[in-house]
Amino acid sequence: YRKRSGPARVVMRARRTRPGRVCRSRTFGGCAVTHESPSSRVFPQVNSTVRVLMLMENCGYPDDMRVLMESRSLHAAGYRVVVICAASNSRPFFENLDGVRIYRYPKPWELGGLIGYLIEYAYSLVVTFALSLWVLARHGFDVLHSRVPPDVYVFLAYFYKLLGKRFVAHLQDSSPDLY
């Protein structure tokens, strides 16, 4: 049993609930007992002022399906989502796609080798930091969500932790950093 908002409301998780099924509530001695549907566990009710800034370096926003689905899910749950990513396929600098604000910067050069990676990541870090300051001043954010690799956005996390922001490092592909 979990206690919900209100003094006499108790929520009981029901394992028998099928996805998409609307659950019924019953009253026992003044306490409303409801079966929690799976969709309420996936999309908890949140305040609409929770703002998430998602950072990407390797590819553009609608091109990466995992980040696209994550941002759409967050938006459907009531979060305000802003994405900063590299531009691809001649996309505009700013776009509002399905309620998700997207800021893009020119894609870094593909130089290759160790020096090329250092230049690419340093460029992406500086430009992303400048855009994140713009987003902080214009829209604000509460959570910084970074898609890693690359791990260079951890430096941004240290800065924003001083301002009280939360940081989520989302590891998607571990193999590029292993060789």
Side-chain angles (χ1 to χ4, degrees):
Y1 293 101
R2 274 189 326 170
K3 205 151 172 106
R4 277 283 191 153
S5 62
R9 186 155 184 222
V10 177
V11 175
M12 180 176 69
R13 291 188 181 183
R15 288 184 164 70
R16 297 179 297 254
T17 307
R18 290 182 226 145
R21 183 178 170 196
V22 177
C23 299
R24 300 180 188 136
S25 64
R26 291 176 273 175
T27 304
F28 295 107
C31 294
V33 178
T34 61
H35 297 282
E36 188 176 353
S37 68
S39 62
S40 66
R41 278 182 262 147
V42 174
F43 300 119
Q45 297 297 320
V46 296
N47 191 351
S48 64
T49 60
V50 177
R51 300 157 299 184
V52 179
L53 174 63
M54 300 179 82
L55 305 176
M56 298 172 54
E57 193 272 334
N58 292 341
C59 57
Y61 169 66
D63 301 334
D64 190 350
M65 289 303 295
R66 292 174 286 195
V67 178
L68 180 68
M69 291 188 307
E70 288 170 5
S71 62
R72 284 182 177 173
S73 297
L74 286 170
H75 178 69
Y79 292 89
R80 294 183 189 168
V81 182
V82 177
V83 176
I84 295 177
C85 64
S88 62
N89 301 332
S90 67
R91 295 238 180 215
F93 168 74
F94 173 76
E95 189 176 10
N96 193 340
L97 185 65
D98 296 331
V100 177
R101 294 183 176 122
I102 306 145
Y103 288 95
R104 296 184 181 93
Y105 59 89
K107 199 167 191 166
W109 311 276
E110 300 279 339
L111 298 176
L114 180 63
I115 300 297
Y117 282 122
L118 291 176
I119 291 172
E120 176 185 349
Y121 289 155
Y123 169 78
S124 296
L125 180 66
V126 169
V127 174
T128 302
F129 180 65
L131 279 174
S132 68
L133 287 175
W134 171 257
V135 169
L136 180 66
R138 178 130 182 165
H139 307 288
F141 62 90
D142 303 311
V143 179
L144 182 68
H145 179 278
S146 172
R147 178 183 172 264
V148 292
D151 297 335
V152 295
Y153 292 142
V154 172
F155 299 116
L156 292 176
Y158 287 134
F159 175 76
Y160 286 118
K161 289 288 264 182
L162 295 174
L163 300 176
K165 308 299 181 193
R166 300 209 179 245
F167 178 67
V168 176
H170 182 187
L171 179 64
Q172 288 190 347
D173 297 323
S174 61
S175 62
D177 288 345
L178 297 179
Y179 60 88

